[in-house]
Amino acid sequence: MTQVYAEDGRAFPVTVIEAGPCVVVQRKSKQKDGYAAVQLGLVEARKVKHVTKAMKGHFEKAGLPPCRVLREFRVAESPDDKGAKVGDKVSVDQFAPGDELTVTGTSRGLGFQGVVKRHNFRGGAATHGSMFHRAPGSIGASAFPSRVLKGMRGAGHMGSERVTVKSVRVVRVDASNNLLIVRGSVPGAGGSIVVIRKS
């Protein structure tokens, strides 16, 4: 993340995303696969020795070098077969400043967290001899129902979840460096993979 300045001098936060270039690795059709989709691969240098034989064959069939990341996107099947072809490049050129995007990623993992951080519990008093500070408190009755009800909020693993942020606005597009600069934050730690769609 960084910040950029508007024409009137106001600074606002942005996230710089290296978006592609991506290449079409496979096309799926309704007749053969039951649904229409394209499989995109993020073009990154990857040694062939690190690729499984199954994936090696998959890329050789497309006539493309191995990609580190593969993602599939549903598309509307065109009857005149004018859709994306295997080998076609998808770059940031299709976006323009002002476009609204939907960004999906995996949120930062925060490990095992207590109820105050994980569920915003208020906790107890900090002073005056209180011995109840950040504990969860009661989790149900004793005699009835004699169990903890499903959905009870408690301590546990936090983060590392699939998160989608909508209406993320494009601020700038740097096509020469494949950079997409969007307003605000997006899910995930630095260097993680996100999926970008037009809203």
Side-chain angles (χ1 to χ4, degrees):
M1 289 191 74
T2 182
Q3 63 181 13
V4 296
Y5 293 92
E7 291 178 2
D8 59 1
R10 289 180 301 119
F12 52 89
V14 294
T15 304
V16 182
I17 303 171
E18 186 181 349
C22 295
V23 65
V24 177
V25 177
Q26 186 185 16
R27 243 191 99 177
K28 299 199 173 183
S29 63
K30 218 161 195 176
Q31 292 79 24
K32 189 178 176 186
D33 305 288
Y35 64 99
V38 291
Q39 192 180 68
L40 295 183
L42 180 63
V43 177
E44 277 188 323
R46 190 175 188 194
K47 291 182 180 176
V48 178
K49 69 177 185 178
H50 294 150
V51 183
T52 62
K53 285 185 179 178
M55 290 310 294
K56 188 179 175 184
H58 183 64
F59 288 110
E60 283 175 355
K61 187 177 178 183
L64 297 166
C67 299
R68 189 179 298 276
V69 180
L70 284 177
R71 290 292 183 272
E72 205 169 272
F73 296 89
R74 293 285 186 106
V75 292
E77 195 162 25
S78 55
D80 51 359
D81 201 38
K82 285 187 177 177
K85 303 277 192 299
V86 172
D88 286 358
K89 279 200 173 183
V90 179
S91 63
V92 292
D93 294 341
Q94 61 182 308
F95 301 114
D99 286 355
E100 289 200 338
L101 310 176
T102 298
V103 182
T104 302
T106 303
S107 63
R108 290 172 56 231
L110 300 173
F112 192 100
Q113 296 297 333
V115 291
V116 173
K117 187 179 183 81
R118 193 176 185 218
H119 295 298
N120 301 308
F121 280 21
R122 181 168 172 264
T127 56
H128 296 293
S130 169
M131 297 176 73
F132 176 79
H133 302 301
R134 296 174 72 92
S138 171
I139 57 170
S142 175
F144 178 82
S146 297
R147 62 190 173 89
V148 178
L149 296 173
K150 282 186 179 179
M152 182 67 63
R153 294 176 299 167
H157 184 266
M158 185 178 177
S160 292
E161 295 176 326
R162 182 184 167 94
V163 178
T164 299
V165 180
K166 296 182 178 181
S167 301
V168 179
R169 196 175 295 278
V170 177
V171 177
R172 289 180 198 160
V173 178
D174 185 355
S176 59
N177 294 312
N178 300 306
L179 297 179
L180 199 60
I181 301 172
V182 299
R183 178 148 190 173
S185 61
V186 297
S192 58
I193 304 295
V194 293
V195 175
I196 301 168
R197 295 179 176 86
K198 280 190 177 179
S199 291

